[in-house]
């Protein structure tokens, strides 16, 4: 098994970072590094990394700490407002759906006119001969194709646009 | 003040107060901590991602997430490690996103060839280093940078990168060897 660390590693690293490597170190350390793969790799890369560190740190254009704090505060407030608003919206939607359903059920159960109209509609639909209507429907579609496509597009696009606007 | 407010508004204000209290430190402490660490974190992000613009964005996000994390820190080192851990995760996520974007656009431009640090004003040595680093895996870049630029201990590096301390030493040794070879300062074959 190949060794992955060496007891002189820290010493070599310190020598490189303090610009003592290779001239101002003991000859015994130089001899060791020449024969040790780990220490020679440390000596090879430590100086390059340290130079790059200095170079990279000077390239940083950092925002002011006060600005970072302020932006974080604003973001927390925005996210908190969004989080607080989300369950309320959901509750409102559910309440509206319940109210509409309840209203419909009350109307259907109490209105005799509605019940008789519903009965007439069901019986006329049952008696409807679709084959007789098919040629007329085909002719209507063929004659007003552009209008029908336009209406279909509006029916599909308007809810999508409203949804997108509300989401934003 | 509350006269014209609905219950929704009041509950939102409560949420805002709670959010403000969520920060792990006050402004003065944060500013001092930021001034001590931001430059190092930026350099780490720039070297790991190989993209300065991305490092700018990730730096802000790193400090924001650090503030929001409800952590308690035993020491400055612990706090600093936590900050670097957040930065590492963000860099990793950014790399994944960039790989997905590249795959979708079929541009084939992966993170290794992402816009590198501006070499125009840098020394030739630094340009060689940048090229060599860009050919390493992001995890190896992070490991080497933390070890030799930030002076982090093995246990700190393992903590930041989410690795087992036991597996760090061989990984660091391999990464060091690869970088030495890429810098042309060691032969390709292992000598030991």
């Amino acid at each position: 098994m190949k060794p992955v660390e060496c007891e002189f590693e820290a010493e070599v690293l310190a020598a490189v970072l303090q610009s003592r490597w290779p001239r101002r170190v003991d000859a015994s350390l130089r001899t060791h590094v020449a024969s040790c793969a780990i220490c020679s790799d440390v000596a090879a890369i430590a100086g390059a990394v340290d130079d790059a560190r200095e170079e990279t740190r000077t390239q940083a254009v950092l925002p002011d700490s006060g600005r970072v704090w302020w932006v974080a505060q604003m973001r927390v407030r925005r996210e908190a407002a969004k989080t607080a608003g989300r369950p309320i919206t959901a509750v409102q939607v559910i309440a509206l759906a319940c109210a509409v359903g309840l209203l419909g059920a009350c109307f259907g159960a109490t209105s005799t006119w509605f019940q008789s109209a519903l009965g007439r509609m069901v019986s006329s639909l049952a008696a409807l001969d679709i084959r007789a209507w098919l040629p007329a429907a085909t002719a209507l579609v063929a004659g007003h194709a552009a209008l029908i496509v336009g209406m279909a597009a509006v029916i599909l696009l308007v809810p999508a646009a409203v949804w997108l606007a509300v989401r934003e | 003040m509350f006269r014209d407010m609905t219950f929704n508004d009041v509950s939102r204000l409560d949420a805002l107060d709670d959010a403000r209290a969520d920060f792990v430190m006050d402004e003065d402490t944060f500013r001092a901590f930021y001034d001590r660490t931001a430059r190092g974190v930026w350099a780490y992000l720039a070297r790991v991602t190989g993209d300065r613009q991305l490092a700018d964005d990730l730096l802000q996000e790193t400090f924001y997430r650090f503030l929001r994390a409800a952590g308690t820190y035993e020491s400055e080192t612990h706090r600093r490690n936590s900050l670097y851990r957040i930065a590492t995760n963000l860099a990793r996520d950014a790399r994944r996103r960039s790989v997905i974007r590249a795959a979708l656009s079929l541009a084939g431009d992966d993170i290794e060839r992402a816009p590198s640090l501006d070499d125009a004003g840098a020394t030739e040595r630094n340009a060689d280093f940048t090229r060599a680093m860009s050919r390493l895996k992001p995890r190896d870049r992070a490991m080497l940078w933390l070890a030799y630029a930030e002076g982090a201990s093995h246990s700190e590096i393992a903590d930041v990168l989410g690795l087992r301390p036991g597996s760090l030493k061989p990984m660091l040794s391999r990464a060091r060897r690869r970088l030495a070879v890429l810098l042309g300062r060691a032969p390709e074959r292992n000598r030991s």
Side-chain angles (χ1 to χ4, degrees):
Chain A
M1 190 176 155
K2 278 187 291 185
V4 291
E5 61 182 339
C6 171
E7 58 180 314
F8 293 106
E9 201 180 320
E11 202 176 325
V12 174
L13 180 61
V16 173
L17 297 182
Q18 291 162 11
S19 306
R20 289 188 286 114
W21 178 262
R23 288 183 192 152
R24 289 189 289 136
V25 294
D26 288 346
S28 59
L29 188 63
R30 276 201 300 272
T31 310
H32 167 75
V33 171
S35 62
C36 173
I38 294 163
C39 289
S40 64
D41 284 347
V42 170
I45 69 154
V49 174
D50 194 48
D51 289 348
R53 175 182 182 270
E54 294 305 315
E55 180 74 35
T56 313
R57 286 171 72 95
T58 57
Q59 288 174 342
V61 183
L62 302 173
D64 177 65
S65 57
R67 187 183 140 72
V68 173
W69 174 266
W70 182 79
V71 168
Q73 286 276 0
M74 289 298 108
R75 228 177 118 180
V76 169
R77 283 165 163 264
R78 206 170 50 236
E79 285 177 9
K82 202 187 274 183
T83 309
R86 204 174 295 139
I88 290 165
T89 311
V91 166
Q92 283 170 343
V93 167
I94 292 165
L96 185 70
C98 289
V100 169
L102 197 65
L103 205 66
C106 288
F107 182 74
T110 53
S111 169
T112 49
W113 168 83
F114 177 75
Q115 284 176 354
S116 63
L118 197 68
R120 277 201 303 277
M121 201 189 301
V122 169
S123 58
S124 62
L125 275 175
L128 188 70
D129 184 7
I130 294 172
R131 283 180 197 162
W133 282 86
L134 207 57
T138 310
L140 186 73
V141 169
H144 302 88
L147 186 67
I148 290 167
V149 169
M151 282 175 68
V154 166
I155 288 167
L156 289 172
L157 288 177
V158 166
V162 168
W163 179 76
L164 281 172
V166 168
R167 193 186 64 161
E168 286 303 311
Chain B
M1 184 190 173
F2 285 101
R3 204 182 54 190
D4 297 330
M5 285 186 170
T6 64
F7 279 104
N8 290 356
D9 294 331
V10 173
S11 65
R12 279 178 202 191
L13 278 181
D14 288 346
L16 296 186
D17 287 342
D18 290 347
R20 205 173 308 149
D22 274 351
F23 277 5
V24 289
M25 52 176 73
D26 60 43
E27 182 174 357
D28 290 341
T29 314
F30 170 77
R31 291 183 72 165
F33 179 65
Y34 176 90
D35 291 339
R36 282 197 303 276
T37 54
R39 199 163 288 276
V41 173
W42 186 89
Y44 173 66
L45 286 166
R47 283 298 176 183
V48 173
T49 62
D51 185 339
R52 273 199 304 191
Q53 294 287 329
L54 185 59
D56 289 342
D57 295 341
L58 295 184
L59 180 79
Q60 299 243 9
E61 187 65 23
T62 299
F63 278 97
Y64 173 70
R65 292 200 185 186
F66 172 78
L67 278 171
R68 290 304 308 273
T72 49
Y73 304 106
E74 298 151 10
S75 61
E76 174 75 5
T77 308
H78 187 202
R79 191 190 273 177
R80 184 174 156 278
N81 289 351
S82 172
L83 187 70
Y84 275 85
R85 193 163 48 240
I86 294 168
T88 303
N89 291 336
L90 286 171
R92 193 179 294 156
D93 291 347
R95 184 167 56 85
R96 282 188 192 134
R97 278 199 304 274
S98 110
V99 168
I100 291 166
R101 263 204 309 275
L104 290 174
S105 67
L106 301 175
D109 197 21
D110 62 20
I111 196 71
E112 312 300 348
R113 284 182 281 145
S116 63
L117 292 168
D118 184 9
D119 294 337
T123 60
E124 192 180 334
R125 196 175 167 192
N126 187 46
D128 289 345
F129 179 79
T130 301
R131 266 193 297 276
M133 281 287 269
S134 73
R135 292 178 65 189
L136 293 175
K137 289 176 188 165
R139 192 178 60 189
D140 290 351
R141 290 200 286 258
M143 218 183 303
L144 290 167
W145 193 262
L146 289 169
Y148 297 105
E150 294 297 325
S153 68
H154 288 175
S155 63
E156 285 173 347
I157 298 170
D159 182 29
V160 167
L161 299 181
L163 300 168
R164 282 188 297 116
S167 60
L168 185 84
K169 283 177 190 172
M171 288 166 82
L172 184 61
S173 176
R174 282 195 294 273
R176 197 168 51 210
R177 172 115 284 258
R178 256 179 245 134
L179 182 61
V181 169
L182 287 167
L183 287 170
R185 295 174 197 183
E188 197 96 27
R189 265 178 50 220
N190 283 337
R191 285 167 291 174
S192 56

